[in-house]
Amino acid sequence: MKIILQRVSCASVTVDGEIVGSINMGYLVLLGVGAGDDKAKIEKAVDKIQKLRIFADENGKTNLSIADVGGELLVVSQFTLYADCRKGNRPSFTDAAPPALAEELYEYFIEYSNGKFAKVQHGVFGATMDIEIVNPGPFTVILENF
């Protein structure tokens, strides 16, 4: 599993001109599911995201978790995180999970996240999506190897 976690002051995802998910302060999660991933890894990832302290406290130090600030979560599936560009000019995606497994684990990520964050929104698996974010800082973290 590979995750790009972006701290946002707001974010939205649009499909065919319609906003399907939007949040205020929180995290945009770009989720790439690998061939060897399972529900246990999803749970570890969500628990890690919940506990990460990357929001500023009253002194400007990154000491607060998403729970501390009442933050929200926007989850978007992104298999392209598994692009292997080492050979040639066309990326290979052989390390990404097959679509059926990827969708199952993406849906489980959303399900497991519900109740752990102030609000959970998401994109549409397999759709072409437009994502808009305001990423103050910017503050972006890469998470993998759960």
Side-chain angles (χ1 to χ4, degrees):
M1 179 179 336
K2 295 182 180 185
I3 294 173
I4 304 295
L5 185 69
Q6 294 182 299
R7 186 181 69 188
V8 300
S9 54
C10 62
S12 66
V13 61
T14 302
V15 176
D16 295 328
E18 180 181 333
I19 295 175
V20 296
S22 66
I23 62 168
N24 291 309
M25 182 182 54
Y27 295 140
L28 169 65
V29 175
L30 301 176
L31 175 65
V33 178
D37 290 339
D38 57 22
K39 289 183 177 181
K41 289 181 180 181
I42 294 290
E43 291 173 5
K44 284 182 182 179
V46 170
D47 293 345
K48 181 68 166 185
I49 290 167
Q50 187 181 27
K51 294 174 186 170
L52 275 177
R53 298 184 314 160
I54 61 173
F55 285 93
D57 63 16
E58 64 279 353
N59 297 316
K61 301 288 184 190
T62 52
N63 283 326
L64 301 178
S65 70
I66 192 168
D68 294 331
V69 299
E72 303 171 350
L73 205 64
L74 178 59
V75 184
V76 175
S77 176
Q78 188 161 358
F79 81 96
T80 59
L81 294 177
Y82 275 91
D84 182 349
C85 300
R86 291 177 290 182
K87 293 173 124 180
N89 295 318
R90 184 173 182 187
S92 169
F93 298 98
T94 57
D95 292 337
L101 175 62
E103 184 172 13
E104 175 188 339
L105 293 179
Y106 170 72
E107 295 294 337
Y108 186 68
F109 189 102
I110 294 164
E111 177 188 323
Y112 188 76
S113 295
N114 279 316
K116 294 183 177 287
F117 303 91
K119 176 181 176 183
V120 178
Q121 296 278 287
H122 55 86
V124 177
F125 184 87
T128 298
M129 296 173 272
D130 293 321
I131 300 170
E132 291 188 41
I133 67 168
V134 177
N135 178 246
F139 205 119
T140 302
V141 176
I142 300 170
L143 302 172
E144 56 187 327
N145 301 323
F146 293 95

